[in-house]
């Protein structure tokens, strides 16, 4: 049958979806917008709104209930394809309760199974289902794995394609959806989500003692941003628009650490326009959270490893806040262009840090980004390695190049056209593309239309296509150099020339200075030299998770046995990918000495890791 393009039929959207959304976000149909990580066919039929009515069961480690999907179809289409991963489906009906036929495609370990539903004219579909205990997006923690040791804990991590393991929908960043949720939890628990909380911090108490919480997201968002956490949680404000959720024993420390967040919001708005999400609250999770932060709207998820008492890691807060524009407001349509989220955000983060703390503080981060870019390109195989392109196969990028190379690309444009002109362009860019998906090709076309405007000399100087589509580092890359880090480099030079570790004055050093020093020490060190470093600088006993990770990495490279007890304690306490993955990789690389240590520690630590971390470490140890 002939199916008319969905883009021409937006006015046919179901009334509930249109009532919930400010707009129905467009579906991009250009070839580069095709998402190979979804089985959905959104040009024929797409989800515009998801309503969840779910109960959380800690005993079975499952979430179950009903997902009601509002559907928009092209003329002639009578089926919709969803993404699912290990969901137990009980029934599929329309909104009148009439059963709808459905079937599943072949299973894939990464993508799950396509679920095809015959619509038979339905504009709303109700799916009764339950997640599996091992759902990839969900981590279930025992009371012993939490700070308070009182109640178990649950949190989700949706990016990139994990939410299909607990929500049957079209799990692609290019298929933006509004959503709402009713979450029922056992007595004594609090549920929070990445949306407006409708009934206050205590929810509604049901006759059986359970508690019910309701949430609503009125803006169309990519489905990976639907996030949930349930546990023993308390809240304290950090300002009129912001506050912290955390386990009760962690709240005060988090409030102190995040005390500049209101100033960050002001600085971000002054740069690139209004914050459009209402509140900016933050959730501090247990140490097993696999990332530094996750930019879930209204409620950023953070690792406790950034809470060091000196606000030296508040760049992570600035980064996740910046995602409220780049990533959440304007989103990569596919994961081949994740630099549009991360590169933009890293650049924006730096501008926020400069506005709050001055040019030198921002220069520290920019200098480290450049260093990281050079290192990642080298480790990927050099300037011709395909994985060093910004636009490439999803999941195939080298290191953190989406962040570093992407941000340096934007800084290079800023330097070429001037900050005033660049800021005006970016502010208008976010306005023009608000709540929409984007591709690299779309961004470059927008640049050429609204910034370059036919200036051939400027076009040649910027090397746009080389930055995005070619490997390596273009020769116009702007390297911002930090005077603070130059002093650390001088300490490095003296130490490498044989100077004593005791001569290094680390008073006032923050995380970034420590990282610069430790990451740039030669990987070959004698046991005596390592002992000297540890005795003089207190590396093993540091309370800073970043410092410990960098130190352990160096020690592992030299098979330095004295750190093994502290390393084991660290790896069983911290689950952040950025910090633990290099340590397992280092141990694996040490063969007969290191691999048995890695496997022994991983067996002990694995129950406390998120599935994302488990998968990453498993691939390292299995050589995949």
């Amino acid at each position: 049958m002939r199916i008319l393009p969905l883009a021409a039929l937006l006015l046919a959207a179901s009334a509930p979806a249109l009532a919930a959304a400010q707009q129905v976000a467009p579906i991009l149909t250009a070839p580069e917008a095709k998402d190979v990580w979804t089985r959905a066919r959104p040009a024929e039929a797409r989800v515009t709104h998801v309503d969840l009515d779910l109960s959380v069961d800690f005993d079975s480690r499952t979430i179950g209930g009903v997902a009601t999907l509002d559907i928009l179809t092209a003329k002639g289409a009578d089926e919709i394809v969803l993404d699912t991963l290990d969901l137990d489906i009980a029934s599929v009906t329309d909104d009148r309760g009439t059963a709808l036929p459905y079937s599943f495609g072949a299973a894939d370990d990464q993508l799950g199974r396509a679920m095809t539903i015959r619509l038979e004219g339905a504009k709303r579909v109700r799916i009764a289902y339950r997640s599996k205990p091992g759902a990839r997006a969900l981590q279930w923690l025992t009371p012993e794995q939490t700070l308070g040791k009182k109640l178990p804990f649950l949190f989700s991590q949706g990016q990139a394609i994990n939410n299909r393991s607990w929500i049957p929908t079209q799990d692609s960043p290019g298929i933006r959806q509004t959503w709402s949720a009713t979450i029922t939890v056992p007595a004594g628990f609090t549920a929070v989500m990445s949306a407006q909380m409708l009934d206050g911090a205590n929810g509604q108490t049901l006759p059986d003692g359970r508690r019910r919480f309701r949430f609503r997201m009125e803006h169309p968002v990519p489905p990976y941003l639907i996030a949930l956490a349930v546990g023993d949680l308390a809240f304290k404000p950090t300002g009129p628009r912001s506050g912290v959720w955390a386990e009760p024993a962690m709240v005060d420390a988090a409030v102190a650490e995040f005390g500049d967040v209101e100033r960050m919001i002001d600085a971000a708005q002054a740069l690139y326009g209004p914050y459009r999400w209402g509140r900016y609250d933050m959730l501090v999770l247990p140490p097993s959270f696999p990332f530094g932060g996750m930019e879930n709207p209204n409620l950023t998820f953070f690792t406790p490893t950034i809470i060091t008492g000196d606000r030296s890691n508040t760049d992570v807060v600035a980064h996740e806040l910046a995602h409220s524009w780049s990533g959440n407001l304007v989103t990569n349509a596919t994961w081949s262009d994740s630099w549009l989220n991360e590169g933009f955000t890293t650049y924006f983060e730096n501008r926020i840090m400069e506005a709050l703390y001055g040019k030198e503080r921002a220069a520290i981060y920019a200098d480290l980004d450049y260093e990281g870019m050079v290192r990642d390109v080298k480790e990927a195989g050099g300037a011709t390695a395909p994985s060093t392109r910004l636009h490439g196969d999803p999941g195939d990028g080298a290191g953190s190049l989406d962040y570093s190379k992407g941000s340096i690309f934007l800084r290079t444009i800023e330097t070429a056209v001037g900050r005033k002109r660049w800021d005006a362009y970016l502010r208008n860019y976010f306005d023009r593309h608000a709540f929409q998906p984007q591709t690299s090709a779309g961004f470059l076309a927008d640049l050429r239309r609204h910034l370059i405007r036919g200036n051939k000399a400027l076009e040649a100087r910027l090397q746009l296509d080389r930055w995005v589509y070619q490997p390596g580092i273009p020769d116009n890359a702007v390297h911002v150099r930090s005077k603070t880090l130059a002093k650390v480099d001088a300490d490095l030079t003296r130490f490498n020339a044989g100077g004593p570790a005791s001569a290094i004055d680390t008073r006032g050093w923050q995380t970034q200075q420590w990282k610069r020093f430790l990451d740039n020490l030669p990987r070959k060190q004698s046991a005596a030299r390592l002992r000297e470093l540890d005795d003089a600088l207190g590396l093993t006993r540091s309370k800073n998770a970043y410092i410990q990770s960098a130190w352990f990495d160096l020690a592992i490279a030299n098979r330095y046995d004295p750190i093994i007890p502290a390393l084991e304690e660290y790896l069983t306490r911290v689950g952040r990918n950025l910090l633990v993955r290099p340590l397992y990789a280092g141990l694996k690389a040490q063969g007969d000495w290191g691999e048995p240590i890695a496997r022994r520690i991983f067996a002990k630590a694995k129950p406390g890791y998120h599935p994302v971390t488990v998968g990453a470490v498993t691939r390292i140890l299995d050589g995949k």
Side-chain angles (χ1 to χ4, degrees):
M1 73 183 72
R2 180 172 180 267
I3 299 174
L4 296 181
L6 184 58
L9 298 170
L10 287 177
L11 293 180
S14 64
L18 288 176
Q22 291 184 337
Q23 60 181 349
V24 176
I27 297 293
L28 301 183
T29 57
E32 67 269 12
K34 179 176 175 54
D35 184 358
V36 298
W37 278 1
T38 181
R39 304 289 177 71
R41 302 195 299 267
E44 299 173 17
R46 61 167 294 191
V47 176
T48 60
H49 181 79
V50 178
D51 179 71
L52 302 171
D53 189 352
L54 303 174
S55 295
V56 175
D57 187 336
F58 279 94
D59 291 334
S60 65
R61 295 193 166 195
T62 63
I63 296 176
V66 175
T68 302
L69 311 180
D70 291 345
I71 310 299
L72 175 60
T73 59
K75 186 176 181 180
D78 195 38
E79 65 181 27
I80 188 167
V81 181
L82 307 179
D83 296 301
T84 69
L85 180 63
D86 292 333
L87 296 179
D88 284 331
I89 306 297
S91 65
V92 180
T93 68
D94 62 17
D95 56 358
R96 297 183 300 275
T98 303
L100 297 175
Y102 64 94
S103 61
F104 291 99
D108 180 276
D109 289 343
Q110 181 185 27
L111 303 184
R113 295 193 297 172
M115 181 181 183
T116 301
I117 302 172
R118 294 288 300 174
L119 295 173
E120 300 186 346
K123 297 298 183 184
R124 304 190 86 198
V125 174
R126 291 170 52 86
I127 304 172
Y129 72 99
R130 183 166 293 278
S131 67
K132 292 286 184 65
R136 195 167 67 196
L138 306 177
Q139 181 162 19
W140 304 84
L141 301 176
T142 65
E144 293 73 27
Q145 293 171 309
T146 68
L147 184 63
K149 316 296 183 186
K150 178 181 177 183
L151 296 175
F153 201 100
L154 162 69
F155 67 88
S156 70
Q157 171 55 40
Q159 192 179 21
I161 55 171
N162 296 328
N163 271 353
R164 62 190 67 183
S165 68
W166 72 286
I167 303 171
T169 187
Q170 293 173 319
D171 192 10
S172 169
I175 311 174
R176 300 179 72 108
Q177 304 154 29
T178 56
W179 62 277
S180 52
T182 300
I183 306 294
T184 302
V185 300
F189 286 80
T190 297
V192 293
M193 294 192 79
S194 52
Q196 179 186 1
M197 180 179 270
L198 300 180
D199 298 313
N202 296 318
Q204 302 170 337
T205 301
L206 303 179
D208 62 2
R210 294 183 300 162
R211 300 168 78 182
R212 178 171 293 164
F213 296 83
R214 295 185 303 133
F215 306 89
R216 181 177 62 223
M217 172 52 67
E218 296 181 342
H219 302 298
V221 297
Y224 70 84
L225 292 178
I226 304 174
L228 168 70
V230 180
D232 179 19
L233 292 169
F235 176 82
K236 280 194 175 182
T238 51
R241 299 163 293 186
S242 63
V244 172
W245 289 94
E247 292 188 70
M250 177 63 73
V251 169
D252 289 337
V255 168
E257 198 79 14
F258 302 155
D260 287 335
V261 68
E262 289 284 338
R263 295 173 59 211
M264 289 183 177
I265 297 171
D266 289 337
Q269 292 189 120
L271 284 168
Y272 299 135
Y275 177 77
R276 308 181 195 220
W277 305 93
R279 292 190 59 81
Y280 183 77
D281 290 328
M282 298 157 283
L283 170 67
V284 180
L285 289 164
S288 59
F289 182 56
F291 302 112
M294 180 62 211
E295 63 270 18
N296 302 309
N298 293 98
L299 188 67
T300 288
F301 286 17
F302 283 114
T303 171
T305 61
I306 68 171
I307 299 176
T308 52
D310 59 1
R311 299 189 183 179
S312 64
N313 301 302
T314 53
D315 58 305
V316 180
V317 181
H319 184 93
E320 304 309 332
L321 171 63
H323 267 304
S324 302
W325 286 261
S326 46
N328 297 2
L329 190 64
V330 184
T331 310
N332 51 229
T334 78
W335 295 110
S336 293
D337 285 328
S338 60
W339 80 272
L340 291 173
N341 284 17
E342 299 301 350
F344 268 74
T345 296
T346 303
Y347 171 83
F348 192 0
E349 162 207 326
N350 192 269
R351 295 293 305 278
I352 294 172
M353 297 300 285
E354 179 182 325
L356 262 67
Y357 305 117
K359 288 188 176 182
E360 176 56 23
R361 178 82 173 267
I364 291 173
Y365 296 109
D367 200 345
L368 290 172
D369 284 340
Y370 197 95
E371 177 188 30
M373 176 178 66
V374 172
R375 180 177 59 247
D376 285 341
V377 168
K378 180 180 178 180
E379 292 179 355
T384 61
S387 62
T388 63
R389 297 173 298 170
L390 287 178
H391 172 86
D393 295 333
D396 193 38
S400 298
L401 285 176
D402 284 345
Y403 298 73
S404 58
K405 184 178 177 181
S407 65
I408 292 165
F409 173 36
L410 301 187
R411 184 172 295 112
T412 300
I413 300 174
E414 176 205 323
T415 302
V417 304
R419 177 168 285 189
K420 183 177 181 180
R421 184 178 170 190
W422 175 238
D423 283 348
Y425 166 77
L426 278 184
R427 185 171 184 133
N428 289 328
Y429 172 81
F430 288 124
D431 286 340
R432 284 193 303 275
H433 299 281
F435 304 111
Q436 296 179 24
Q438 181 62 287
T439 63
S440 286
F443 169 62
L444 294 185
D446 193 274
L447 264 178
R448 289 177 168 119
R449 179 180 180 185
H450 294 282
L451 184 68
I452 297 175
R453 298 178 179 178
N455 186 330
K456 293 182 179 180
L458 178 59
E459 170 87 24
R461 189 159 71 250
L462 292 178
Q463 304 181 54
L464 302 181
D465 290 334
R466 183 178 178 189
W467 271 99
V468 175
Y469 297 114
Q470 298 300 316
I473 303 171
D475 56 13
N476 65 342
V478 172
H479 185 181
V480 175
R481 298 182 185 275
S482 161
K483 295 178 182 178
T484 301
L485 295 182
K487 294 178 181 178
V488 176
D489 293 342
D491 287 326
L492 266 169
T493 298
R494 287 189 290 270
F495 179 79
N496 291 337
S502 59
I504 302 170
D505 185 2
T506 62
R507 288 175 298 180
W509 274 19
Q510 294 190 318
T511 298
Q512 293 72 33
Q513 290 147 288
W514 283 104
K515 285 279 291 173
R516 177 71 156 218
F517 181 81
L518 293 169
D519 288 347
N520 286 281
L521 285 168
R523 294 299 91 181
K524 293 294 184 182
Q525 299 285 341
S526 67
R529 200 62 158 154
L530 291 171
R531 188 180 312 111
E532 178 189 351
L533 275 169
D534 199 13
D535 290 345
L537 305 183
L539 300 170
T540 300
R541 63 179 183 273
S542 173
K543 300 301 182 183
N544 185 312
Y546 296 84
I547 295 172
Q548 283 187 295
S549 180
W551 161 240
F552 291 146
D553 187 63
L554 176 65
I556 288 168
N558 292 279
R559 301 190 175 194
Y560 187 60
D561 288 306
I563 56 92
I564 299 303
L567 173 67
E568 181 169 350
E569 187 278 331
Y570 181 89
L571 288 174
T572 53
R573 171 172 52 86
V574 175
R576 184 179 174 188
N577 250 335
L578 175 73
L579 301 178
V580 306
R581 191 176 62 244
L583 304 183
Y584 282 107
L587 288 168
K588 169 74 173 180
Q590 291 300 320
D592 292 344
W593 177 83
E595 185 169 350
I597 296 172
R599 292 191 179 278
R600 174 177 59 79
I601 294 177
F602 183 49
K604 180 179 179 182
K606 183 177 178 179
Y609 287 165
H610 186 276
V612 168
T613 305
V614 171
V617 176
T618 299
R619 287 190 293 273
I620 288 169
L621 297 183
D622 291 347
K624 296 181 179 179

